[in-house]
Amino acid sequence: MTHGQNVAMSSREELLAAVQFNADGLVPAIAQQRGSGQVLMMAWMNRASLERTLDTGKATYYSRSRAQLWTKGEESGNTQVVLSIAADCDGDTLLLEVDQTGPACHTGTRTCFDTTSVDIAPSSDVTP
């Protein structure tokens, strides 16, 4: 996908048909920085937010707590221009390749995945 109105209709329709929304009508969406591959955040999308993202090229998600759509950066200015969207093999998770402006996390950090991590040392029982 290229952004905004440049989306080919067949690609758009194929993506929308491939997505498997859960019982609440939602699908997890992972935002990843183009170039570096850094995982920035996870948010939920419903069909309307996915369609708006495809229409505008701006990452639009669904807020479960507010029960409404929100476009990344509409309040903070920390926007995400969506460069591509891929559904995983089961269609139950989306990967958005984005160009992030400013921090992605609501805490003000570049990524939501920088607070707690555990390095797992490979054991002799695990083969690569």
Side-chain angles (χ1 to χ4, degrees):
M1 175 190 105
T2 57
H3 41 328
Q5 301 298 344
N6 297 329
V7 176
M9 186 55 89
S10 62
S11 296
R12 174 194 177 98
E13 294 309 316
E14 288 171 6
L15 176 66
L16 289 169
V19 176
Q20 300 297 309
F21 296 96
N22 68 18
D24 295 323
L26 302 173
V27 63
I30 307 295
Q32 181 181 42
Q33 177 63 48
R34 175 172 269 180
S36 72
Q38 183 179 37
V39 175
L40 300 172
M41 58 178 276
M42 178 273 179
W44 293 97
M45 293 183 116
N46 63 8
R47 186 175 178 96
S49 65
L50 177 55
E51 288 177 336
R52 184 176 295 174
T53 299
L54 290 166
D55 289 342
T56 66
K58 298 175 184 177
T60 301
Y61 301 105
Y62 179 79
S63 169
R64 294 177 301 163
S65 61
R66 296 180 302 198
Q68 67 184 33
L69 302 184
W70 60 280
T71 300
K72 183 70 176 154
E74 65 190 350
E75 293 178 16
S76 67
N78 300 322
T79 60
Q80 289 177 347
V81 173
V82 179
L83 305 167
S84 70
I85 301 176
D88 75 347
C89 59
D90 297 321
D92 61 2
T93 303
L94 297 176
L95 179 63
L96 282 64
E97 191 176 26
V98 303
D99 184 12
Q100 175 72 43
T101 300
C105 189
H106 70 280
T107 64
T109 59
R110 175 76 180 157
T111 173
C112 294
F113 294 95
D114 65 350
T115 57
T116 305
S117 66
V118 176
D119 291 330
I120 307 297
S123 71
S124 59
D125 297 339
V126 179
T127 57

